[in-house]
Amino acid sequence: VGIRDSSTSRGRGDVYKRQVLSGLTVFTGASIAEVVRGGILSVHRGQWEAYRSLGLGEGLGMRRVVLPQALPAILPALTSQYLNLAKNSTLAIAVGYADLYAVSDTSITQTGRAIEGFLLLLISFLLFNLLISGGMTLISRALLGWMKPRSR
């Protein structure tokens, strides 16, 4: 009585981390699915009818006709969703999920330099968001450049 088997017991921190991960996964997955759905539905109905009238299958028509026209509508909103994911994971601190803020808070507590700590935190988040945005810009340019018709 009162003795726990350490191999089967889990701390509250593990439960919180799993809950945070599950919540962020479901929320972000649903948001991204809605972005993709909206992008696909933005393609004019005539384009769908055109590939069907050519005898293309649903998969081939989606890859060759619909998605190239939907990607310009999808990519900017997808970039926003990835940036939101980075920010929402930071909000997970409220339930005990340690991340960049927790490391900064520990540093501030140990050194007593709050302004410098928050400036480093601010610069870190700025660089992280710029990295995500720049990466998505490169992907967008590569995909949209690849889809442009080539003149011979």
Side-chain angles (χ1 to χ4, degrees):
V1 182
I3 298 175
R4 288 186 174 171
D5 180 11
S6 62
S7 63
T8 59
S9 66
R10 295 196 173 145
R12 289 190 114 171
D14 290 340
V15 173
Y16 287 146
K17 287 178 186 177
R18 279 185 273 133
Q19 289 173 345
V20 166
L21 182 62
S22 298
L24 283 173
T25 302
V26 170
F27 175 74
T28 304
S31 299
I32 289 174
E34 185 62 23
V35 165
V36 172
R37 184 192 70 82
I40 289 173
L41 290 179
S42 72
V43 175
H44 192 269
R45 183 177 170 203
Q47 298 297 318
W48 295 78
E49 293 170 357
Y51 83 75
R52 288 184 183 123
S53 68
L54 290 172
L56 297 177
E58 291 293 319
L60 186 60
M62 183 67 77
R63 283 190 307 272
R64 297 286 172 103
V65 177
V66 176
L67 284 179
Q69 295 178 52
L71 278 176
I74 292 173
L75 289 174
L78 196 59
T79 302
S80 293
Q81 287 303 318
Y82 287 139
L83 291 171
N84 283 337
L85 175 62
K87 293 171 189 169
N88 289 341
S89 65
T90 303
L91 293 175
I93 297 167
V95 293
Y97 179 71
D99 69 342
L100 186 61
Y101 180 78
V103 172
S104 174
D105 190 41
T106 302
S107 174
I108 290 169
T109 302
Q110 290 178 354
T111 63
R113 296 180 173 236
I115 294 174
E116 292 88 345
F118 281 112
L119 281 174
L120 282 173
L121 185 65
L122 176 94
I123 291 169
S124 299
F125 277 112
L126 177 65
L127 290 176
F128 187 56
N129 284 328
L130 288 174
L131 180 69
I132 291 171
S133 182
M136 288 301 293
T137 300
L138 290 175
I139 290 171
S140 176
R141 285 183 185 160
L143 284 175
L144 297 179
W146 172 75
M147 291 186 308
K148 286 183 182 176
R150 295 182 180 105
S151 58
R152 296 182 187 227

